[in-house]
């Protein structure tokens, strides 16, 4: 697992290093002040895996939903599931973050859902748009150039989803031959620890 800890107030800043799937969930959470169950699970367990404690998770989600959901409603309808993910309810299993294979192969998003893997689940136009505006946090040139975007599009079209994701990380770190990304936390850690200035 991952070293370090993250407070609820640090998530926005950390999101600069998120892979496309989690950057999308974070953006939608901020836009809509809500995520459906599939998104809360995928994003919540990811945040846990990168160091958000149960106490901080309860603060993070309550604040994130506060434009739409009262404190009371939050306690009634959402707090249990968060505690459950941290092994504090039900079977008391502390659940790990989903790996890429699980995100890619199970529980395909329906309309209104924001979970899933963008390389697999987004339509071509939406994927291209997301790649075109992805900020490379470690790079002097903050955006992918059009040739790079089309390379990633081509990999996704050939079902090489994780290779496309890895290539994005390589562009971000200005490095070749990284090991294939197998879970979103790995992408985050490697992006965050890039030695590039
Ligand atoms: Fe997220 Fe994995 Fe897809 Fe990358 S390959 S966007 S980390 S699910």
């Amino acid at each position: 697992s991952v070293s370090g800890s993250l407070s609820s107030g640090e998530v926005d800043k950390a999101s600069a290093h998120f892979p496309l799937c989690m950057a999308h969930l974070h953006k939608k959470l901020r836009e809509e002040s809500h995520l459906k169950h599939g998104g809360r699970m995928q994003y919540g367990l990811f945040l846990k895996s990168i160091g958000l404690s149960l106490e901080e998770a309860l603060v993070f989600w309550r604040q994130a939903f506060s434009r739409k959901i009262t404190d009371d409603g939050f306690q009634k309808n959402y707090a249990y599931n968060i505690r459950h993910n941290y092994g504090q309810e039900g079977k008391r299993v502390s659940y790990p973050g989903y790996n890429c294979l699980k995100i890619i192969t199970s529980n395909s998003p329906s309309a209104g859902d924001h979970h899933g893997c963008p390389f697999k689940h987004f339509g071509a136009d939406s994927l291209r748009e997301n790649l075109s505006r992805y900020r490379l946090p470690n790079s002097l040139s903050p955006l992918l150039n059009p040739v790079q975007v089309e390379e990633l599009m081509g990999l996704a079209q050939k079902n090489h989803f994780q290779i496309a994701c890895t290539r994005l990380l390589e562009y971000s770190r200005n490095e070749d031959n990284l090991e294939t990304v197998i879970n979103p936390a790995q992408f985050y850690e490697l992006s965050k620890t890039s030695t590039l200035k």
Side-chain angles (χ1 to χ4, degrees):
S1 78
V2 170
S3 60
S5 68
L6 194 69
S7 72
S8 58
E10 291 169 333
V11 175
D12 283 314
K13 188 156 172 257
S15 71
H17 293 286
F18 288 178
L20 227 46
C21 54
M22 301 304 172
H24 182 64
L25 282 164
H26 186 73
K27 179 167 171 282
K28 289 297 171 184
L29 174 63
R30 289 303 186 223
E31 282 173 11
E32 299 176 4
S33 292
H34 194 257
L35 287 175
K36 292 189 174 188
H37 181 73
R40 295 198 302 276
M41 290 298 292
Q42 181 177 319
Y43 191 36
L45 288 172
F46 167 73
L47 291 175
K48 177 188 174 195
S49 77
I50 63 167
L52 195 71
S53 68
L54 172 59
E55 291 68 30
E56 290 296 317
L58 289 166
V59 173
F60 174 80
W61 288 101
R62 184 172 51 72
Q63 287 178 344
F65 284 5
S66 62
R67 269 201 295 137
K68 289 197 178 149
I69 313 262
T70 63
D71 278 357
D72 210 38
F74 180 81
Q75 294 306 331
K76 273 204 196 99
N77 298 315
Y78 299 99
Y80 177 93
N81 269 312
I82 295 167
R83 288 196 301 270
H84 190 269
N85 280 347
Y86 282 77
Q88 298 302 307
E89 300 282 359
K91 283 190 290 181
R92 301 207 164 244
V93 177
S94 185
Y95 294 91
Y98 297 164
N99 63 32
C100 296
L101 201 61
K102 180 175 170 99
I103 293 170
I104 288 166
T105 60
S106 60
N107 189 22
S108 285
S110 308
D113 284 328
H114 302 302
H115 66 270
C117 172
F119 293 108
K120 154 94 181 178
H121 294 116
F122 283 12
D125 290 347
S126 172
L127 179 58
R128 185 175 281 108
E129 192 206 317
N130 270 265
L131 288 170
S132 301
R133 62 157 192 254
Y134 186 86
R135 312 288 302 185
L136 299 165
N138 308 303
S139 178
L140 285 176
S141 50
L143 296 172
L144 296 170
N145 68 45
V147 174
Q148 292 169 328
V149 170
E150 290 313 314
E151 186 194 1
L152 300 186
M153 293 296 299
L155 286 166
Q157 273 152 19
K158 292 192 198 98
N159 295 344
H160 297 315
F161 313 119
Q162 289 167 257
I163 294 175
C165 185
T166 307
R167 192 61 48 83
L168 177 60
L169 183 61
E170 288 174 348
Y171 286 138
S172 175
R173 287 178 59 105
N174 196 24
E175 249 183 277
D176 291 331
N177 300 316
L178 291 180
E179 276 183 41
T180 303
V181 171
I182 57 167
N183 69 63
Q186 175 196 0
F187 184 110
Y188 169 73
E189 284 298 310
L190 283 171
S191 178
K192 198 174 63 136
T193 58
S194 173
T195 51
L196 278 180
K197 282 283 162 296

